[in-house]
Amino acid sequence: VSNPLPPSLKRGLKTLNEYWRETYLPEQQLLEDDKYAEPVLAMIPVADVREDVAAAWKRAPKDDSVQKWDILESRVNKARKAAKGGPDKWALDKCVNEIIFAHVYPRLDVEVSKHMNHLLKAPFCVHPKTGRVCVPMDPKDDDFDPNKVPTVIQLIDEMNAAKAAGKEVSYKETAMNDAVETFNRTFWNGLKKECKEEMDQLHGKVREAVAAAKPLDF
């Protein structure tokens, strides 16, 4: 990460900072397990500061990633302000941002745009070799097992069983029912609500404009 940040990264950082503190740290519990906390600690470029943060973390609650992050951020900023220039100050100036960008900044893979087989990652596509169905997962579900997702053969058998039992032949009678419910709960319902709110706002502007007999300004 360059210092100062390019305008696009500077704009993105504001959103990332909110997501980092309010969602990522408390839900992913990044700093509560030494296996994941140590690599974060290693991203502090100055040894004295790194050791200071590590010592402070030992005195902090082990199950509070947000508090541990606050410690890291405050110690790095304190050292950054005390540095009188040179490579240490330059590295500390961008240290906090680099950690955030490394963990939550969206990445674009050029290969995904070039090859059609990457579309297999879209929800409900079928892998041609394994026959497994690509199902959405709840990011809060720690027990998701990719080896237990439905296969095409399994779904066919379940639909045939439903037909033989005189039931409606529908995905609701198969293992896909849970997958569709997860998709709706974690993505579609929220998107639908957001779109409805936007449409309601637009309709409100239309009604106001018609009532006032003024040109519409969208």
Side-chain angles (χ1 to χ4, degrees), residues 89-153:
K89 177 172 175 52
W90 181 82
L92 289 170
D93 279 345
K94 61 178 188 171
C95 169
V96 170
N97 290 345
E98 281 188 336
I99 294 173
I100 294 174
F101 278 119
H103 287 84
V104 294
Y105 189 74
R107 288 166 174 75
L108 298 178
D109 184 349
V110 66
E111 297 300 321
V112 172
S113 302
K114 289 166 56 179
H115 301 297
M116 291 292 290
N117 64 312
H118 283 283
L119 294 176
L120 293 170
K121 297 181 176 66
F124 311 122
C125 287
V126 178
H127 193 282
K129 293 182 179 179
T130 64
R132 298 186 188 280
V133 181
C134 179
V135 298
M137 61 173 287
D138 188 334
K140 297 180 181 180
D141 182 6
D142 295 330
D143 298 324
F144 180 80
D145 186 349
N147 293 317
K148 294 182 179 179
V149 301
T151 65
V152 173
I153 297 300

Side-chain angles (χ1 to χ4, degrees), residues 4-158:
L5 290 173
S8 61
L9 294 184
K10 190 174 182 179
R11 290 192 301 270
L13 184 61
K14 182 178 180 181
T15 301
L16 294 181
N17 272 323
E18 295 176 1
Y19 176 76
W20 177 255
R21 287 186 58 83
E22 297 175 8
T23 305
Y24 188 82
L25 287 175
E27 292 190 5
Q28 297 297 322
Q29 304 172 345
L30 177 68
L31 304 179
E32 297 175 22
D33 188 326
D34 290 342
K35 182 173 69 172
Y36 302 111
E38 287 296 330
V40 174
L41 201 60
M43 295 183 72
I44 301 175
V46 180
D48 291 345
V49 182
R50 189 163 57 246
E51 293 169 3
D52 182 31
V53 173
W57 277 3
K58 290 180 180 179
R59 299 189 296 270
K62 187 175 179 61
D63 59 349
D64 192 336
S65 289
V66 175
Q67 184 173 339
K68 283 188 171 182
W69 175 254
D70 288 340
I71 291 172
L72 182 152
E73 193 171 25
S74 64
R75 300 299 172 97
V76 168
N77 285 335
K78 181 180 178 180
R80 178 176 61 82
K81 293 175 181 177
K84 301 189 181 296
D88 282 357
K89 177 172 175 52
W90 181 82
L92 289 170
D93 279 345
K94 61 178 188 171
C95 169
V96 170
N97 290 345
E98 281 188 336
I99 294 173
I100 294 174
F101 278 119
H103 287 84
V104 294
Y105 189 74
R107 288 166 174 75
L108 298 178
D109 184 349
V110 66
E111 297 300 321
V112 172
S113 302
K114 289 166 56 179
H115 301 297
M116 291 292 290
N117 64 312
H118 283 283
L119 294 176
L120 293 170
K121 297 181 176 66
F124 311 122
C125 287
V126 178
H127 193 282
K129 293 182 179 179
T130 64
R132 298 186 188 280
V133 181
C134 179
V135 298
M137 61 173 287
D138 188 334
K140 297 180 181 180
D141 182 6
D142 295 330
D143 298 324
F144 180 80
D145 186 349
N147 293 317
K148 294 182 179 179
V149 301
T151 65
V152 173
I153 297 300
Q154 174 189 344
L155 296 175
I156 291 174
D157 289 342
E158 290 172 346

